[in-house]
Amino acid sequence: MAIVLEGSQQNTLGSTTVTYSYTVPVATNTILVIGIATSTADPPSAITYNTVAMTRLAGDTSGNNGTAIWYLVNPSSGANTVSMTISGDSDGTKRIVTATFSGVHQTTPFGTPATNSGLAGTASTVSVSSASGEVVVDLVHGLGGVTSLTKDASQTLIQAITRTGMSYEAGAASVSMDWTWATSADWEAIGGSLKPVAVALAPQGAMTGVGQ
């Protein structure tokens, strides 16, 4: 079963506790993925969807900003509330991308995540271990005067919010997720590879010998 992006949205929010509504479409073997970038080095300490706790895949606070990816397998379908608790960033901006994928392994949804960061550059990259049939998802955040991002042509855009973007790409042994922008700035990037549902092989029927 192939992994499919079923839907996404973007939100730009403030306040210490961030709450917004997101609709998970009806699909099979789904995962909810949230990428968040904060304007200070204070990523969420907790996130829930429909009051169910989400799991943090990875994060980066190497700059003066914070980025993180969180996920929840088999989320409730329909419109429900996402609630994030963030300490120390009450005056900061939160750029949030929320996405739903189907066809994802429900026990081991992600492989080993990767993070990377840089100072005073106009391009980001993060290399993610993956495999054929998997789908790599990434989150990038540029600091300073970054006003727009451009993904690599091999990637499919999920959402972009000025200096924050999320995309995906078909898996291979190693996948490089790359973005560029015009103004030199610090940056942070996170990537993880979604694993597909295992395909069960149909049992072979008994062979009937000739002359039996």
Side-chain angles (χ1 to χ4, degrees), residues 34 44 54 56 74 123 132 141 144 153 175 184:
I34 294 179
M54 299 185 67
R56 181 180 179 274
N74 193 30
S132 177
H141 180 61
V175 177
S184 181

Side-chain angles (χ1 to χ4, degrees), residues 31-144:
I31 187 170
L32 177 65
V33 179
I34 294 179
I36 178 169
T38 60
S39 58
T40 64
D42 292 294
S45 58
I47 302 181
T48 62
Y49 174 74
N50 193 28
T51 73
V52 179
M54 299 185 67
T55 299
R56 181 180 179 274
L57 175 67
D60 193 298
T61 58
S62 57
N64 290 323
N65 286 209
T67 57
I69 291 179
W70 293 67
Y71 69 90
L72 175 66
V73 295
N74 193 30
S76 300
S77 60
N80 291 288
T81 299
V82 175
S83 180
M84 303 183 178
T85 301
I86 303 176
S87 300
D89 194 32
S90 59
D91 297 324
T93 299
K94 290 84 175 166
R95 295 174 177 86
I96 306 162
V97 178
T98 310
T100 308
F101 291 86
S102 64
V104 177
H105 198 288
Q106 298 291 283
T107 304
T108 311
F110 275 102
T112 303
T115 64
N116 198 11
S117 60
L119 302 176
T122 56
S124 68
T125 185
V126 61
S127 182
V128 183
S129 295
S130 184
S132 177
E134 298 184 7
V135 170
V136 176
V137 179
D138 79 312
L139 176 72
V140 65
H141 180 61
L143 286 65

Side-chain angles (χ1 to χ4, degrees), residues 5 7-10 33 97-101 136-138 151 156-160 165-168 179:
L5 175 66
S8 68
Q9 75 179 42
Q10 60 175 259
V33 179
V97 178
T98 310
T100 308
F101 291 86
V136 176
V137 179
D138 79 312
K151 64 173 181 59
T156 299
L157 182 67
I158 298 176
Q159 294 281 348
M166 182 182 279
S167 68
Y168 69 95
W179 297 73

